[in-house]
Amino acid sequence: MSAASRAKRIDPSLDILVLEKSPFISYSICGVPYFVEGLVSEVDRLIRFTPETFWKERQIRARTGYEVLEIVPARRLLIGRDLQTGQDESVPYDSLLISTGYTPIIPPLDGLDGPNVYTLSNLDDGLNLRQLVEKRPPGRAVVVGGGYIGLSMTEALRHLGWQVAVVEKNSAVYPSLDADMSALVEEELKRNSVGIHLSNPVRGLRRDADGTLRGVALEHGSLDCDLTLVDIGIQPNVELARSAGIPLGATGAIAVNERMETGTPGIFAAGNCAETFHLVSRRPVISALGTAASKQGRIAGENMAGRRGVFSGILGTAVSGVFDLTVAQSGLSSETAVEAGFRPGVTRVSVPSRAGYFPGIRPVTLKLIFDQPSRRVLGAQIIGDALVAKRIDVVAAVLTAGMRLEDVAQLDLAYAPPFAPLWDPLLVAANVALREQ
Amino acid sequence: MSAASRAKRIDPSLDILVLEKSPFISYSICGVPYFVEGLVSEVDRLIRFTPETFWKERQIRARTGYEVLEIVPARRLLIGRDLQTGQDESVPYDSLLISTGYTPIIPPLDGLDGPNVYTLSNLDDGLNLRQLVEKRPPGRAVVVGGGYIGLSMTEALRHLGWQVAVVEKNSAVYPSLDADMSALVEEELKRNSVGIHLSNPVRGLRRDADGTLRGVALEHGSLDCDLTLVDIGIQPNVELARSAGIPLGATGAIAVNERMETGTPGIFAAGNCAETFHLVSRRPVISALGTAASKQGRIAGENMAGRRGVFSGILGTAVSGVFDLTVAQSGLSSETAVEAGFRPGVTRVSVPSRAGYFPGIRPVTLKLIFDQPSRRVLGAQIIGDALVAKRIDVVAAVLTAGMRLEDVAQLDLAYAPPFAPLWDPLLVAANVALREQ
């Protein structure tokens, strides 16, 4: 949708057609947990455009319920099917964007097929889960995977009165965080009576003969439950591209250059199906974030409309709420820094979120990861109150600029008693890191 | 205090003495409005160190009630007076730091001397004002000057039930903001029943024969009042330095190099009495902010202890709360950008603070000031909810790095429905600015 909108704005004479298999275009998948919880009352609120409003507001056609079955680059043709009529139809193109997104990884487990298992990877899943929590009293849920979506749903279900257990095959929730920071998230989950089962992979689901979900079998032990959510990771949807001979990258996503062009003339790819690269490690990565996807789409749209747009890569900046904590990260973790060939040093500080005398102070815990030889900042993880959501963006700018610890230590950051201490946590962390060097 | 602490940490063998005329060291002047309002219950909460605790925790001597009368650089000697005994005493030094801060500018007005007039430039003033608001019922207050301290006190007094009028000789409150942004602050003040009198300088104070304050005479009209706060600007305290022959800079503050050395050997200056320079305009400026002062102190301490520290200048990053608004700025305004020789372009956007469907969204209004020929970002002003306090820090990092609009447009900033929209206001502003170029 970003690409279509951007291209149309640059060149209103373009004839643009968006093809979508599902019944929905332009919805916020990140909003689904809030819809399930009821914080967002109507599913329509999550939908930015329908095909009708997209046409009305932007003069771009969008067709839902149409599945592309094959791309024929040599003839610049798509072969697909109208899912309502069942009829095959082909669509010619001059310029094509593949933005097929990702699919959640579904582990090959007994009992996974059947009622009361959700992945929350699309709006239909969200609608079905909302119906379920509305029609029955709160029960027991098992969330398989302690990542962003899993923990968002954990909180939503707790707010609805469900008992929730999080099962994670790794040794910590939020595997993208360093273990000591994940531990703070685990404490918050425990404070909110969430069961946590680490280093304990799921082996299968237990169902009655009639299919009723009864529980989850783990490597060690088992858990009774009435509902299972699965969020163990994503894979880019690349089958269409692969079968058309479009080259994939080392990560398995569709290979693109900085203009979002694939290796096949006239075909672009953007969003979570396209490979991108990490601004700090300079390595190819897959991103599951909407921020990267929409920026890539915008760049693809510029290039498809004849301008020159260049995508500059990602940092993986992300924030999420976990009950009363805000958890944010940007750049490399200690682990990914080592993988990328750096020699990381780390500094972790815990600083009041406001002037020490101000009512309502809470700690901000900030972990700074830097390259020891060059003192360049490589990443940060921050846990604290809501302001953390934008504190991490300061780090994103620092990483983009390639600043070193001594540059960060002198940043002229805002202070006022209700909002920050005189020495901002980021400045404190940089100064401590410099002292410990 | 920053300099003393830093020097002692680097070289614990140093014999450091802090001399202070007032009864207090190490207090937060920014906390005074919250103390007057009663949000901070005890004045001791605003004091980080007493001479006793400073000695105990840091092994640094501090002497209050000692006024330095003269610096004799040729003999490396201070001549001063113990204000309690009235006795003159001299103190030798090897290395001296002048950190005499600033004094509020007091307009030469009839009736200004006398009871119920406050400047809130020191803790005593805050204590006296707190006593006044505790012992009498709420009345009418006139705040002369619509800057940071004036508006903080306006809010505190309104919360205490006072009627408050703000009188400003300029055509807008918050003169450091562009006029259209100041207008948003004025609307918020009006929503909170604060009287606003712009382009209307104070001509004098009206008092009864017994000295009782009755009102304020303005260029146009007059206002009855029981209390007057004066906050029309600051001047650096440079008399001691000037009389010792230490060179002053173009701004009237004490001239220092990047190591905080004055033109006189062995003498450093730091804090609001010392000149600094603006990172964007590269011009000398006076700063009234504690953030700059404490960083300068730290750098001075490093150099006084024999290390090499360099201060990299300021951006004037600041944030304050004005009732339900958070108001923040960094870098140059439209006006100061022109003064500094740039050809500024501006873009102003108003974007929801969270995902559009999330409950409790409020607008974030962000004005980006950039140099048209180079597209380099020169400054920003942001008004919105509390997260604005750290949104401005992203701009501070952008300014420090010298980023251009196209760099800002691609920043990988955090998104999650409760904290930010998918396209952060800063990204929207940069994209709009690029489009309008």
Side-chain angles (χ1 to χ4, degrees), chain A residues 360-405:
Chain A
I361 54 168
R362 292 175 52 183
V364 172
T365 302
L366 190 153
K367 185 166 188 177
L368 204 56
I369 295 126
F370 54 95
D371 181 47
Q372 287 191 316
S374 66
R375 297 190 301 283
R376 181 180 155 205
V377 179
L378 302 175
Q381 301 169 16
I382 318 181
I383 296 179
D385 63 8
L387 263 66
V388 160
K390 292 294 123 181
R391 290 188 187 282
I392 200 65
D393 287 351
V394 186
V395 176
V398 160
L399 293 172
T400 302
M403 289 186 191
R404 294 180 308 160
L405 290 173

Side-chain angles (χ1 to χ4, degrees), chain B residues 389-403:
Chain B
K390 293 294 123 182
R391 289 187 187 283
I392 199 64
D393 287 351
V394 186
V395 175
V398 160
L399 294 171
T400 302
M403 287 185 192

Side-chain angles (χ1 to χ4, degrees), chain A residues 44 80 159 263 276 298 311:
Chain A
D44 290 353
H159 288 163
T276 183
R298 192 180 159 91
F311 183 62

